[in-house]
Amino acid sequence: MYKFWGKVKKHNQRGKTLGFPTANINLNKKIAEGIYISTLKIENKVYPSLTFVGKAKTFNEIKFQAETYILDFKKDLYGSWITVELLKKIRGNKKFNSEKELISQMKKDETVARKYFTP
């Protein structure tokens, strides 16, 4: 689908507090907003992941960026260069009424991604 790369930057660290820590990078090109099944490559190792592209509507964000949640990954990536490859869009960007609703949807998105990567 689409591949991009960049240096992981600190943002609001909201993903971590929601239980879905993300690696955030700026995007130079506009990509259709939404949630994508993806892979993240760092130091020649590829990890299954989910990537949000766009402005976080639930939190009234105005910054367009990519936030990648790596399945079963616990390392700190701040300052690291990563490559993200979007494989399949699973839904559009949506504003949720609460963090609880957002977390519930994120868990569903994670289930879809895990099924995608399971042979």
Side-chain angles (χ1 to χ4, degrees):
M1 264 186 98
Y2 188 76
K3 190 184 283 191
F4 55 90
W5 54 90
K7 192 173 191 178
V8 178
K9 302 187 181 300
K10 279 195 178 183
H11 190 51
N12 294 327
Q13 296 187 318
R14 195 179 294 120
K16 189 183 294 184
T17 63
L18 296 174
F20 292 86
T22 59
N24 301 329
I25 59 176
N26 295 330
L27 291 176
N28 293 328
K29 182 179 179 185
K30 293 284 184 181
I31 302 166
E33 292 191 47
I35 303 294
Y36 294 83
I37 294 171
S38 59
T39 57
L40 181 142
K41 183 178 181 182
I42 182 168
E43 298 174 357
N44 293 319
K45 188 158 182 186
V46 177
Y47 299 92
S49 57
L50 275 170
T51 298
F52 166 75
V53 173
K55 299 174 185 175
K57 294 179 180 182
T58 302
F59 302 102
N60 300 312
E61 290 277 332
I62 58 171
K63 186 175 184 176
F64 188 91
Q65 65 178 3
E67 302 180 32
T68 301
Y69 170 65
I70 310 164
L71 304 178
D72 306 315
F73 188 87
K74 303 284 184 213
K75 295 179 186 173
D76 182 344
L77 295 179
Y78 293 123
S80 300
W81 284 90
I82 61 172
T83 300
V84 177
E85 184 172 4
L86 304 179
L87 305 174
K88 179 181 180 183
K89 185 173 183 178
I90 58 174
R91 69 174 174 87
N93 190 1
K94 179 181 176 187
K95 182 170 183 158
F96 295 90
N97 294 319
S98 68
E99 286 185 8
K100 186 177 178 180
E101 277 186 27
L102 172 61
I103 291 167
S104 176
Q105 182 61 57
M106 291 166 72
K107 288 178 180 177
K108 291 175 187 173
D109 296 339
E110 180 179 9
T111 298
V112 171
R114 288 188 184 280
K115 285 181 183 175
Y116 180 89
F117 288 113
T118 302

mmCIF file of all heavy atoms in Angstrom, residues 31-71:
data_model
loop_
_atom_site.group_PDB
_atom_site.id
_atom_site.type_symbol
_atom_site.label_atom_id
_atom_site.label_comp_id
_atom_site.label_asym_id
_atom_site.label_seq_id
_atom_site.Cartn_x
_atom_site.Cartn_y
_atom_site.Cartn_z
ATOM 1 N N ILE A 31 -1.836 11.045 3.738
ATOM 2 C CA ILE A 31 -2.321 9.691 3.480
ATOM 3 C C ILE A 31 -3.751 9.673 4.009
ATOM 4 O O ILE A 31 -4.068 10.373 4.977
ATOM 5 C CB ILE A 31 -1.456 8.658 4.226
ATOM 6 C CG1 ILE A 31 0.006 8.776 3.804
ATOM 7 C CG2 ILE A 31 -1.956 7.248 4.006
ATOM 8 C CD1 ILE A 31 0.975 8.046 4.704
ATOM 9 N N ALA A 32 -4.625 8.882 3.429
ATOM 10 C CA ALA A 32 -6.007 8.804 3.910
ATOM 11 C C ALA A 32 -6.026 8.477 5.403
ATOM 12 O O ALA A 32 -5.395 7.510 5.846
ATOM 13 C CB ALA A 32 -6.782 7.764 3.123
ATOM 14 N N GLU A 33 -6.733 9.289 6.164
ATOM 15 C CA GLU A 33 -6.808 9.088 7.607
ATOM 16 C C GLU A 33 -7.500 7.777 7.946
ATOM 17 O O GLU A 33 -8.416 7.354 7.251
ATOM 18 C CB GLU A 33 -7.557 10.252 8.274
ATOM 19 C CG GLU A 33 -6.788 11.549 8.218
ATOM 20 C CD GLU A 33 -7.405 12.625 9.097
ATOM 21 O OE1 GLU A 33 -7.732 12.337 10.262
ATOM 22 O OE2 GLU A 33 -7.548 13.755 8.606
ATOM 23 N N GLY A 34 -7.035 7.145 9.015
ATOM 24 C CA GLY A 34 -7.660 5.917 9.473
ATOM 25 C C GLY A 34 -6.699 5.000 10.191
ATOM 26 O O GLY A 34 -5.570 5.376 10.514
ATOM 27 N N ILE A 35 -7.170 3.788 10.417
ATOM 28 C CA ILE A 35 -6.392 2.752 11.089
ATOM 29 C C ILE A 35 -5.977 1.709 10.058
ATOM 30 O O ILE A 35 -6.813 1.221 9.290
ATOM 31 C CB ILE A 35 -7.215 2.066 12.200
ATOM 32 C CG1 ILE A 35 -7.730 3.080 13.216
ATOM 33 C CG2 ILE A 35 -6.408 0.960 12.877
ATOM 34 C CD1 ILE A 35 -6.643 3.755 14.027
ATOM 35 N N TYR A 36 -4.698 1.362 10.080
ATOM 36 C CA TYR A 36 -4.137 0.419 9.112
ATOM 37 C C TYR A 36 -3.442 -0.728 9.824
ATOM 38 O O TYR A 36 -2.759 -0.512 10.836
ATOM 39 C CB TYR A 36 -3.085 1.105 8.244
ATOM 40 C CG TYR A 36 -3.609 2.185 7.344
ATOM 41 C CD1 TYR A 36 -3.807 3.479 7.817
ATOM 42 C CD2 TYR A 36 -3.894 1.927 6.006
ATOM 43 C CE1 TYR A 36 -4.282 4.482 6.984
ATOM 44 C CE2 TYR A 36 -4.367 2.923 5.166
ATOM 45 C CZ TYR A 36 -4.555 4.202 5.663
ATOM 46 O OH TYR A 36 -5.027 5.188 4.830
ATOM 47 N N ILE A 37 -3.587 -1.926 9.285
ATOM 48 C CA ILE A 37 -2.708 -3.023 9.669
ATOM 49 C C ILE A 37 -1.375 -2.688 9.003
ATOM 50 O O ILE A 37 -1.337 -2.256 7.850
ATOM 51 C CB ILE A 37 -3.259 -4.373 9.183
ATOM 52 C CG1 ILE A 37 -4.564 -4.688 9.915
ATOM 53 C CG2 ILE A 37 -2.222 -5.483 9.379
ATOM 54 C CD1 ILE A 37 -5.296 -5.894 9.365
ATOM 55 N N SER A 38 -0.292 -2.847 9.745
ATOM 56 C CA SER A 38 1.002 -2.401 9.228
ATOM 57 C C SER A 38 2.128 -3.278 9.759
ATOM 58 O O SER A 38 1.910 -4.173 10.574
ATOM 59 C CB SER A 38 1.243 -0.945 9.666
ATOM 60 O OG SER A 38 1.219 -0.843 11.088
ATOM 61 N N THR A 39 3.315 -2.986 9.286
ATOM 62 C CA THR A 39 4.530 -3.536 9.883
ATOM 63 C C THR A 39 5.444 -2.370 10.204
ATOM 64 O O THR A 39 5.396 -1.323 9.543
ATOM 65 C CB THR A 39 5.271 -4.521 8.951
ATOM 66 O OG1 THR A 39 5.582 -3.866 7.728
ATOM 67 C CG2 THR A 39 4.451 -5.774 8.702
ATOM 68 N N LEU A 40 6.251 -2.544 11.227
ATOM 69 C CA LEU A 40 7.231 -1.541 11.606
ATOM 70 C C LEU A 40 8.597 -2.206 11.582
ATOM 71 O O LEU A 40 8.773 -3.294 12.140
ATOM 72 C CB LEU A 40 6.935 -1.000 13.006
ATOM 73 C CG LEU A 40 7.901 0.076 13.503
ATOM 74 C CD1 LEU A 40 7.135 1.123 14.290
ATOM 75 C CD2 LEU A 40 9.017 -0.507 14.330
ATOM 76 N N LYS A 41 9.530 -1.574 10.910
ATOM 77 C CA LYS A 41 10.886 -2.117 10.803
ATOM 78 C C LYS A 41 11.844 -1.204 11.558
ATOM 79 O O LYS A 41 11.839 0.012 11.379
ATOM 80 C CB LYS A 41 11.302 -2.201 9.333
ATOM 81 C CG LYS A 41 12.662 -2.816 9.125
ATOM 82 C CD LYS A 41 12.978 -2.916 7.642
ATOM 83 C CE LYS A 41 14.321 -3.539 7.383
ATOM 84 N NZ LYS A 41 14.628 -3.586 5.951
ATOM 85 N N ILE A 42 12.637 -1.832 12.407
ATOM 86 C CA ILE A 42 13.695 -1.123 13.118
ATOM 87 C C ILE A 42 14.895 -2.060 13.203
ATOM 88 O O ILE A 42 14.740 -3.245 13.520
ATOM 89 C CB ILE A 42 13.248 -0.641 14.520
ATOM 90 C CG1 ILE A 42 14.370 0.142 15.192
ATOM 91 C CG2 ILE A 42 12.766 -1.783 15.376
ATOM 92 C CD1 ILE A 42 13.949 0.899 16.420
ATOM 93 N N GLU A 43 16.057 -1.520 12.873
ATOM 94 C CA GLU A 43 17.300 -2.301 12.919
ATOM 95 C C GLU A 43 17.154 -3.650 12.213
ATOM 96 O O GLU A 43 17.505 -4.694 12.750
ATOM 97 C CB GLU A 43 17.752 -2.477 14.367
ATOM 98 C CG GLU A 43 18.060 -1.166 15.053
ATOM 99 C CD GLU A 43 18.376 -1.316 16.538
ATOM 100 O OE1 GLU A 43 18.300 -2.452 17.069
ATOM 101 O OE2 GLU A 43 18.692 -0.296 17.156
ATOM 102 N N ASN A 44 16.599 -3.636 11.005
ATOM 103 C CA ASN A 44 16.443 -4.819 10.156
ATOM 104 C C ASN A 44 15.528 -5.897 10.725
ATOM 105 O O ASN A 44 15.562 -7.036 10.283
ATOM 106 C CB ASN A 44 17.810 -5.415 9.791
ATOM 107 C CG ASN A 44 18.588 -4.470 8.906
ATOM 108 O OD1 ASN A 44 18.025 -3.863 7.999
ATOM 109 N ND2 ASN A 44 19.870 -4.325 9.174
ATOM 110 N N LYS A 45 14.732 -5.559 11.736
ATOM 111 C CA LYS A 45 13.745 -6.500 12.261
ATOM 112 C C LYS A 45 12.360 -5.915 12.017
ATOM 113 O O LYS A 45 12.132 -4.731 12.229
ATOM 114 C CB LYS A 45 13.976 -6.758 13.749
ATOM 115 C CG LYS A 45 13.087 -7.864 14.259
ATOM 116 C CD LYS A 45 13.618 -8.496 15.521
ATOM 117 C CE LYS A 45 12.661 -9.628 15.885
ATOM 118 N NZ LYS A 45 12.947 -10.246 17.115
ATOM 119 N N VAL A 46 11.434 -6.774 11.561
ATOM 120 C CA VAL A 46 10.078 -6.324 11.213
ATOM 121 C C VAL A 46 9.090 -6.848 12.247
ATOM 122 O O VAL A 46 9.126 -8.032 12.609
ATOM 123 C CB VAL A 46 9.693 -6.812 9.796
ATOM 124 C CG1 VAL A 46 8.278 -6.415 9.448
ATOM 125 C CG2 VAL A 46 10.680 -6.262 8.763
ATOM 126 N N TYR A 47 8.211 -5.954 12.715
ATOM 127 C CA TYR A 47 7.220 -6.292 13.728
ATOM 128 C C TYR A 47 5.804 -6.039 13.205
ATOM 129 O O TYR A 47 5.568 -5.039 12.526
ATOM 130 C CB TYR A 47 7.422 -5.425 14.978
ATOM 131 C CG TYR A 47 8.751 -5.606 15.636
ATOM 132 C CD1 TYR A 47 9.827 -4.795 15.300
ATOM 133 C CD2 TYR A 47 8.937 -6.582 16.617
ATOM 134 C CE1 TYR A 47 11.059 -4.952 15.915
ATOM 135 C CE2 TYR A 47 10.163 -6.737 17.236
ATOM 136 C CZ TYR A 47 11.221 -5.921 16.879
ATOM 137 O OH TYR A 47 12.438 -6.082 17.484
ATOM 138 N N PRO A 48 4.844 -6.906 13.549
ATOM 139 C CA PRO A 48 3.449 -6.647 13.197
ATOM 140 C C PRO A 48 2.934 -5.479 14.027
ATOM 141 O O PRO A 48 3.283 -5.336 15.212
ATOM 142 C CB PRO A 48 2.739 -7.956 13.563
ATOM 143 C CG PRO A 48 3.600 -8.618 14.566
ATOM 144 C CD PRO A 48 5.002 -8.163 14.283
ATOM 145 N N SER A 49 2.098 -4.649 13.407
ATOM 146 C CA SER A 49 1.652 -3.451 14.104
ATOM 147 C C SER A 49 0.329 -2.930 13.552
ATOM 148 O O SER A 49 -0.187 -3.419 12.552
ATOM 149 C CB SER A 49 2.730 -2.366 13.984
ATOM 150 O OG SER A 49 3.026 -2.094 12.628
ATOM 151 N N LEU A 50 -0.181 -1.916 14.232
ATOM 152 C CA LEU A 50 -1.344 -1.139 13.813
ATOM 153 C C LEU A 50 -0.906 0.305 13.742
ATOM 154 O O LEU A 50 -0.190 0.772 14.631
ATOM 155 C CB LEU A 50 -2.456 -1.234 14.866
ATOM 156 C CG LEU A 50 -3.402 -2.397 14.821
ATOM 157 C CD1 LEU A 50 -4.252 -2.409 16.088
ATOM 158 C CD2 LEU A 50 -4.310 -2.303 13.613
ATOM 159 N N THR A 51 -1.325 1.015 12.715
ATOM 160 C CA THR A 51 -0.928 2.416 12.579
ATOM 161 C C THR A 51 -2.152 3.301 12.401
ATOM 162 O O THR A 51 -3.001 3.036 11.558
ATOM 163 C CB THR A 51 0.027 2.598 11.384
ATOM 164 O OG1 THR A 51 1.209 1.824 11.624
ATOM 165 C CG2 THR A 51 0.422 4.058 11.203
ATOM 166 N N PHE A 52 -2.201 4.353 13.207
ATOM 167 C CA PHE A 52 -3.208 5.397 13.050
ATOM 168 C C PHE A 52 -2.563 6.521 12.247
ATOM 169 O O PHE A 52 -1.462 6.975 12.571
ATOM 170 C CB PHE A 52 -3.671 5.939 14.409
ATOM 171 C CG PHE A 52 -4.434 7.222 14.305
ATOM 172 C CD1 PHE A 52 -5.747 7.228 13.855
ATOM 173 C CD2 PHE A 52 -3.842 8.436 14.616
ATOM 174 C CE1 PHE A 52 -6.457 8.419 13.742
ATOM 175 C CE2 PHE A 52 -4.539 9.622 14.506
ATOM 176 C CZ PHE A 52 -5.850 9.617 14.060
ATOM 177 N N VAL A 53 -3.251 6.968 11.209
ATOM 178 C CA VAL A 53 -2.776 8.088 10.403
ATOM 179 C C VAL A 53 -3.844 9.176 10.467
ATOM 180 O O VAL A 53 -5.021 8.906 10.226
ATOM 181 C CB VAL A 53 -2.555 7.666 8.927
ATOM 182 C CG1 VAL A 53 -2.238 8.876 8.061
ATOM 183 C CG2 VAL A 53 -1.441 6.639 8.826
ATOM 184 N N GLY A 54 -3.429 10.386 10.817
ATOM 185 C CA GLY A 54 -4.371 11.497 10.809
ATOM 186 C C GLY A 54 -4.266 12.383 12.032
ATOM 187 O O GLY A 54 -3.245 12.435 12.706
ATOM 188 N N LYS A 55 -5.369 13.067 12.298
ATOM 189 C CA LYS A 55 -5.499 13.948 13.457
ATOM 190 C C LYS A 55 -6.393 13.234 14.464
ATOM 191 O O LYS A 55 -7.479 12.785 14.109
ATOM 192 C CB LYS A 55 -6.136 15.274 13.049
ATOM 193 C CG LYS A 55 -5.334 16.037 12.026
ATOM 194 C CD LYS A 55 -6.104 17.259 11.559
ATOM 195 C CE LYS A 55 -5.350 17.957 10.438
ATOM 196 N NZ LYS A 55 -6.116 19.071 9.880
ATOM 197 N N ALA A 56 -5.949 13.136 15.696
ATOM 198 C CA ALA A 56 -6.719 12.431 16.723
ATOM 199 C C ALA A 56 -7.955 13.260 17.082
ATOM 200 O O ALA A 56 -7.911 14.133 17.944
ATOM 201 C CB ALA A 56 -5.849 12.166 17.945
ATOM 202 N N LYS A 57 -9.064 12.966 16.415
ATOM 203 C CA LYS A 57 -10.301 13.735 16.580
ATOM 204 C C LYS A 57 -10.849 13.685 18.003
ATOM 205 O O LYS A 57 -11.380 14.675 18.502
ATOM 206 C CB LYS A 57 -11.373 13.228 15.609
ATOM 207 C CG LYS A 57 -11.043 13.456 14.158
ATOM 208 C CD LYS A 57 -12.153 12.898 13.274
ATOM 209 C CE LYS A 57 -11.852 13.116 11.805
ATOM 210 N NZ LYS A 57 -12.941 12.610 10.958
ATOM 211 N N THR A 58 -10.721 12.545 18.655
ATOM 212 C CA THR A 58 -11.244 12.390 20.015
ATOM 213 C C THR A 58 -10.622 13.412 20.957
ATOM 214 O O THR A 58 -11.264 13.880 21.891
ATOM 215 C CB THR A 58 -10.992 10.953 20.523
ATOM 216 O OG1 THR A 58 -11.624 10.042 19.621
ATOM 217 C CG2 THR A 58 -11.523 10.743 21.929
ATOM 218 N N PHE A 59 -9.373 13.781 20.691
ATOM 219 C CA PHE A 59 -8.648 14.712 21.561
ATOM 220 C C PHE A 59 -8.457 16.085 20.906
ATOM 221 O O PHE A 59 -7.624 16.880 21.339
ATOM 222 C CB PHE A 59 -7.294 14.091 21.956
ATOM 223 C CG PHE A 59 -7.464 12.769 22.640
ATOM 224 C CD1 PHE A 59 -7.239 11.590 21.954
ATOM 225 C CD2 PHE A 59 -7.874 12.696 23.962
ATOM 226 C CE1 PHE A 59 -7.412 10.355 22.571
ATOM 227 C CE2 PHE A 59 -8.046 11.472 24.587
ATOM 228 C CZ PHE A 59 -7.818 10.297 23.894
ATOM 229 N N ASN A 60 -9.224 16.342 19.844
ATOM 230 C CA ASN A 60 -9.188 17.628 19.132
ATOM 231 C C ASN A 60 -7.787 18.026 18.680
ATOM 232 O O ASN A 60 -7.416 19.197 18.722
ATOM 233 C CB ASN A 60 -9.811 18.744 19.990
ATOM 234 C CG ASN A 60 -11.253 18.452 20.317
ATOM 235 O OD1 ASN A 60 -12.042 18.097 19.438
ATOM 236 N ND2 ASN A 60 -11.617 18.575 21.584
ATOM 237 N N GLU A 61 -7.011 17.041 18.260
ATOM 238 C CA GLU A 61 -5.655 17.302 17.763
ATOM 239 C C GLU A 61 -5.720 17.978 16.401
ATOM 240 O O GLU A 61 -6.612 17.692 15.597
ATOM 241 C CB GLU A 61 -4.883 15.992 17.621
ATOM 242 C CG GLU A 61 -4.529 15.329 18.925
ATOM 243 C CD GLU A 61 -3.272 15.882 19.574
ATOM 244 O OE1 GLU A 61 -2.384 16.367 18.859
ATOM 245 O OE2 GLU A 61 -3.213 15.822 20.805
ATOM 246 N N ILE A 62 -4.771 18.844 16.132
ATOM 247 C CA ILE A 62 -4.691 19.490 14.818
ATOM 248 C C ILE A 62 -3.468 19.010 14.038
ATOM 249 O O ILE A 62 -3.337 19.286 12.859
ATOM 250 C CB ILE A 62 -4.686 21.028 14.944
ATOM 251 C CG1 ILE A 62 -3.527 21.495 15.816
ATOM 252 C CG2 ILE A 62 -6.007 21.527 15.493
ATOM 253 C CD1 ILE A 62 -3.311 22.989 15.819
ATOM 254 N N LYS A 63 -2.591 18.274 14.703
ATOM 255 C CA LYS A 63 -1.373 17.780 14.065
ATOM 256 C C LYS A 63 -1.649 16.471 13.322
ATOM 257 O O LYS A 63 -2.181 15.527 13.896
ATOM 258 C CB LYS A 63 -0.290 17.560 15.119
ATOM 259 C CG LYS A 63 1.050 17.188 14.545
ATOM 260 C CD LYS A 63 2.091 17.108 15.639
ATOM 261 C CE LYS A 63 3.436 16.828 15.031
ATOM 262 N NZ LYS A 63 4.485 16.823 16.028
ATOM 263 N N PHE A 64 -1.289 16.430 12.054
ATOM 264 C CA PHE A 64 -1.430 15.230 11.217
ATOM 265 C C PHE A 64 -0.163 14.411 11.378
ATOM 266 O O PHE A 64 0.935 14.903 11.117
ATOM 267 C CB PHE A 64 -1.621 15.654 9.755
ATOM 268 C CG PHE A 64 -1.958 14.524 8.837
ATOM 269 C CD1 PHE A 64 -3.277 14.196 8.593
ATOM 270 C CD2 PHE A 64 -0.971 13.785 8.212
ATOM 271 C CE1 PHE A 64 -3.618 13.151 7.738
ATOM 272 C CE2 PHE A 64 -1.289 12.740 7.354
ATOM 273 C CZ PHE A 64 -2.619 12.435 7.119
ATOM 274 N N GLN A 65 -0.298 13.177 11.842
ATOM 275 C CA GLN A 65 0.881 12.341 12.050
ATOM 276 C C GLN A 65 0.521 10.871 11.979
ATOM 277 O O GLN A 65 -0.631 10.511 11.780
ATOM 278 C CB GLN A 65 1.532 12.650 13.397
ATOM 279 C CG GLN A 65 0.691 12.308 14.606
ATOM 280 C CD GLN A 65 1.429 12.606 15.903
ATOM 281 O OE1 GLN A 65 2.538 13.109 15.913
ATOM 282 N NE2 GLN A 65 0.823 12.287 17.014
ATOM 283 N N ALA A 66 1.525 10.042 12.155
ATOM 284 C CA ALA A 66 1.333 8.589 12.204
ATOM 285 C C ALA A 66 1.720 8.118 13.595
ATOM 286 O O ALA A 66 2.738 8.538 14.144
ATOM 287 C CB ALA A 66 2.195 7.896 11.159
ATOM 288 N N GLU A 67 0.887 7.248 14.151
ATOM 289 C CA GLU A 67 1.144 6.650 15.454
ATOM 290 C C GLU A 67 1.050 5.139 15.283
ATOM 291 O O GLU A 67 0.001 4.628 14.918
ATOM 292 C CB GLU A 67 0.112 7.110 16.482
ATOM 293 C CG GLU A 67 0.058 8.611 16.667
ATOM 294 C CD GLU A 67 -0.977 9.018 17.703
ATOM 295 O OE1 GLU A 67 -1.201 8.262 18.663
ATOM 296 O OE2 GLU A 67 -1.568 10.086 17.537
ATOM 297 N N THR A 68 2.146 4.438 15.553
ATOM 298 C CA THR A 68 2.182 2.994 15.333
ATOM 299 C C THR A 68 2.285 2.243 16.647
ATOM 300 O O THR A 68 3.188 2.485 17.450
ATOM 301 C CB THR A 68 3.348 2.612 14.403
ATOM 302 O OG1 THR A 68 3.177 3.291 13.158
ATOM 303 C CG2 THR A 68 3.392 1.121 14.154
ATOM 304 N N TYR A 69 1.342 1.334 16.842
ATOM 305 C CA TYR A 69 1.320 0.444 18.006
ATOM 306 C C TYR A 69 1.868 -0.902 17.551
ATOM 307 O O TYR A 69 1.312 -1.537 16.659
ATOM 308 C CB TYR A 69 -0.108 0.294 18.538
ATOM 309 C CG TYR A 69 -0.270 -0.784 19.574
ATOM 310 C CD1 TYR A 69 0.355 -0.688 20.816
ATOM 311 C CD2 TYR A 69 -1.043 -1.906 19.323
ATOM 312 C CE1 TYR A 69 0.216 -1.679 21.772
ATOM 313 C CE2 TYR A 69 -1.200 -2.906 20.271
ATOM 314 C CZ TYR A 69 -0.566 -2.781 21.496
ATOM 315 O OH TYR A 69 -0.701 -3.772 22.438
ATOM 316 N N ILE A 70 2.968 -1.325 18.158
ATOM 317 C CA ILE A 70 3.622 -2.574 17.781
ATOM 318 C C ILE A 70 3.088 -3.686 18.690
ATOM 319 O O ILE A 70 3.155 -3.573 19.915
ATOM 320 C CB ILE A 70 5.155 -2.462 17.917
ATOM 321 C CG1 ILE A 70 5.657 -1.209 17.215
ATOM 322 C CG2 ILE A 70 5.829 -3.710 17.368
ATOM 323 C CD1 ILE A 70 7.060 -0.817 17.604
ATOM 324 N N LEU A 71 2.553 -4.730 18.083
ATOM 325 C CA LEU A 71 2.003 -5.833 18.861
ATOM 326 C C LEU A 71 3.104 -6.536 19.658
ATOM 327 O O LEU A 71 4.171 -6.847 19.119
ATOM 328 C CB LEU A 71 1.319 -6.849 17.936
ATOM 329 C CG LEU A 71 0.219 -6.308 17.018
ATOM 330 C CD1 LEU A 71 -0.326 -7.423 16.137
ATOM 331 C CD2 LEU A 71 -0.893 -5.658 17.812
#
